[in-house]
Amino acid sequence: MTSRQRDFVRSLAATDPGVEVRVPARWAVRPGATDADVSEFFGHGRSGGATLGLEGYRLRVTDGETHRHHALSLLLRKAADAGAALKNAADVAKAKAEAQAAGTPWPNRPPTRAVPGWPSRRRTGG
């Protein structure tokens, strides 16, 4: 190994953004390390660490997308519910205006509908 290769591995050990590459690089240039350790880093440590770093990045991106998709789904559901409520409110306002225009008093609460024969059906079960 040349000193230039060792210096390169030292720079990776100090500045590489991925811990998966920094750790094997530090091991390759630790005190008492041999040329075989540096060669091992170039053969396996660097590529294995980079692969692990890429996989970790992909997992983080996937998790972020999952959270974003969930949040957007909730917002879309709330928007649809709000749209339905707005349409219902517009329908109620229109019905109220028509009733008042016809001279029919508008109730302050929604009318209850009596089901014909309900008490007798309830007692007899039929």
Side-chain angles (χ1 to χ4, degrees), residues 5-126:
Q5 289 170 325
R6 285 187 173 278
D7 290 341
F8 177 71
V9 175
R10 277 190 197 93
S11 73
L12 288 178
T15 62
D16 193 84
V19 70
E20 295 84 0
V21 174
R22 281 194 316 265
V23 170
R26 286 179 187 156
W27 178 257
V29 294
R30 73 191 185 284
T34 64
D35 287 346
D37 293 324
V38 175
S39 180
E40 175 74 19
F41 171 76
F42 280 118
H44 300 288
R46 186 176 181 195
S47 62
T51 301
L52 287 173
L54 180 60
E55 186 176 337
Y57 170 77
R58 287 178 177 162
L59 287 172
R60 286 189 302 277
V61 168
T62 302
D63 286 346
E65 283 298 307
T66 301
H67 290 353
R68 184 188 68 82
H69 184 267
H70 177 70
L72 286 175
S73 296
L74 290 176
L75 287 173
L76 287 172
R77 190 175 310 131
K78 286 181 180 182
D81 292 347
L86 185 62
K87 182 183 181 316
N88 187 31
D91 291 344
V92 168
K94 182 180 175 187
K96 182 178 179 180
E98 289 173 357
Q100 288 173 344
T104 307
W106 182 259
N108 289 333
R109 62 180 177 79
T112 56
R113 290 187 2 205
V115 177
W118 171 254
S120 62
R121 286 187 194 152
R122 190 170 176 200
R123 280 192 298 270
T124 62

